[in-house]
Amino acid sequence: MNQHFEATESFAESMDEKDTIAVYKNEFYFPQHNGNNTIYFCGNSLGLQPKNVEAAIKTELGTWRDIAIEGYFKGTNPWLHYHEYVTPSLAKLTGAKPGEVTVMNTLTVNLHLMMLSFYKPNTKRYKIMMEAGAFPSDQYAIETQVKHYGLLPEDAIIEIAPRTGEKIIREEDILAAINEQRDTLALVVFGGINYYTGQLFDIKSITEAVHKAGAVAGWDLAHVTGNVPLQLHDWNVDFAVWCSYKYLNAGPGAIGGVFIHERYAFNNDTPRLAGWWGNDEKTRFKMEKGFIAKPDASGWNISTSQVFNTVALKASLELFDSAGMDNLRAKSVLLTGYLEFLLQQLTTLQFEIITPKEPERRGAQLCLYFSEKGKEVHQKMMDSGIIVDYREPGVIRVAPAPLYCSFEDVFRFYEILSEL
Ligand SMILES: *Cc1c(COP(=O)(O)O)cnc(C)c1O
C-alpha cells in the first residue's frame, strides 16, 4: 500500500482531523517549554504521565491511610490481588492467554529469573545467541549468567551483527546462525525491537527456527509492548520480558511484565526461584514448608504485590484498552510513515535513516544518523520545544507515540529541521 502524503501543514491537520484516536493526547501531561506543551518524541525511553495516574495513586494512599493492613482485603482495589488487575490488558497487548502474563520486579531482574528457569546449560548445549549491540543491561545479564555456570562469555555467547557496511541485521543471517548452532544452542534472547536502530525482528519465524534447533526462545520486548501488537501465545514464544515505563507510560521504575507460555506456566514442575507470592493462595498464609506454585505465570512472583509500582500501569492500561492496540498501531504506521516521508523531503541535510523502511520491520521509532551537525540538530530541537534523544555519534532517535503525538507534531519537527 502506498500512502499519499503531502509536506504541508494543512495536510498534517487533515490527518489529525481524520484520526479517530486523536483525543487521547488530552489524557497526558506534557513537559513545558516557554509556557507551551513540548512535542514529545521520547516515549521509547520514558512515556508521558497519563492524567488519570494521580487520582489512582491517591486512591491507594487513601486506603493505606484509612484502613492500613485491611487494604489487602478491603480496599477499593484489594492489594492482595493488585498485580492481577493489569494482567488482562497486558494479555491483550501481547497476545497471551490469561495466566500466561504476570507483573513483578523490573525488566533485567525478570530476565535473570527467566534465564534461571529456561537456561540450563550442559556440556553439549550451552550457548546463548543474541543480537550484537543489544541494550547494555541485557548484555550484562547474559554475560554474568554464563559466568555463573563457569562458562566463558567469548565461547558461550554468540552475537549476530549486521554485515560489514550495513546497519541492520539480516533476518536470513539470524536464521542461518541458529541452524548452524543447532547442536550447541541452549537459548536465544533478542530484543524484539533493537533499542538503537529501531529494527523489529520477525518474532514468529525466529522463534520457530530456535525451536527447530532444539533451543529456547526468549524475547526482550522493552521497545515492543504497547508499540506493536504481539501474538506471543500463537507464536509459541517460550518467555518474554518487558518494562512498563517506555510505551506503556507507567512511570520511572514501574513494575516489569513477564510472559511465560502455558506449556511451562501451567506446569508446577517448571523450575524457578520462588517466594511466598508465587505460592498457592490456599496455603500461602499457612506459613508451612514446601512451595506449591500457583498454576500460572504468577507462580513466578516472589514478593508481595508492589502496589505503588503497579498503580500507574493500571491507570495507563485503561487508555490502551479504550484506544485499542490495533487502532494505535494503524495510526503509528501512518504517523511514522509521515515522519519518514517528510524527512525524505529534506535534501540539504546530510543524514541517513537507519531504521528499516518496511512498517512490518519497525515500530514507532526512526533512528536518524547525522554524519555532521547531529549535536546541533538536537540542540535546535530542544530549543524549539521538541524533545528527542541524542546519542553519540550523531544519532537522533525520534519516536512519535500514537497515544499522544499528532501529525502536526511530526510536521513541526520537519519544519524546524528544514530551517537548518
Ligand atoms: C529499557 C531497556 C532495559 C531496561 O531494563 P531495566 O531493568 O528496566 O532497567 C533493558 N533492556 C532493553 C532492551 C531495554 O530497552
Side-chain angles (χ1 to χ4, degrees), residues 135-211:
F135 195 87
S137 202
D138 301 39
Q139 294 186 38
Y140 305 149
I142 290 170
E143 173 195 334
T144 53
Q145 282 274 340
V146 304
K147 284 182 175 166
H148 178 73
Y149 292 99
L151 299 165
L152 295 171
E154 53 274 29
D155 175 37
I157 300 174
I158 306 164
E159 290 193 341
I160 310 299
R163 295 187 188 178
T164 314
E166 299 184 3
K167 297 218 164 60
I168 296 298
I169 304 174
R170 294 196 192 194
E171 300 261 346
E172 67 204 80
D173 291 354
I174 302 171
L175 299 178
I178 291 169
N179 183 46
E180 225 167 77
Q181 295 291 338
R182 63 189 175 276
D183 295 329
T184 57
L185 199 58
L187 173 68
V188 174
V189 180
F190 265 65
I193 289 179
N194 181 271
Y195 79 100
Y196 187 77
T197 63
Q199 178 178 12
L200 168 63
F201 294 102
D202 185 342
I203 297 176
K204 181 174 185 245
S205 67
I206 293 175
T207 298
E208 209 174 273
V210 171
H211 289 163

Side-chain angles (χ1 to χ4, degrees), residues 382-402:
M382 300 303 279
D383 294 345
S384 311
I386 299 187
I387 302 184
V388 289
D389 100 1
Y390 180 77
R391 307 230 168 190
E392 291 294 350
V395 165
I396 293 181
R397 295 185 303 166
V398 190

Side-chain angles (χ1 to χ4, degrees), residues 103-153:
V103 289
M104 58 190 196
N105 321 304
T106 41
L107 193 165
T108 312
V109 174
N110 290 333
L111 179 57
H112 274 301
L113 290 173
M114 289 303 108
M115 288 176 73
L116 287 168
S117 285
F118 292 100
Y119 177 51
K120 299 283 166 202
N122 58 42
T123 47
K124 202 165 154 278
R125 261 186 203 284
Y126 62 95
K127 293 192 178 174
I128 302 180
M129 186 178 290
M130 64 191 299
E131 88 253 37
F135 195 87
S137 202
D138 301 39
Q139 294 186 38
Y140 305 149
I142 290 170
E143 173 195 334
T144 53
Q145 282 274 340
V146 304
K147 284 182 175 166
H148 178 73
Y149 292 99
L151 299 165
L152 295 171

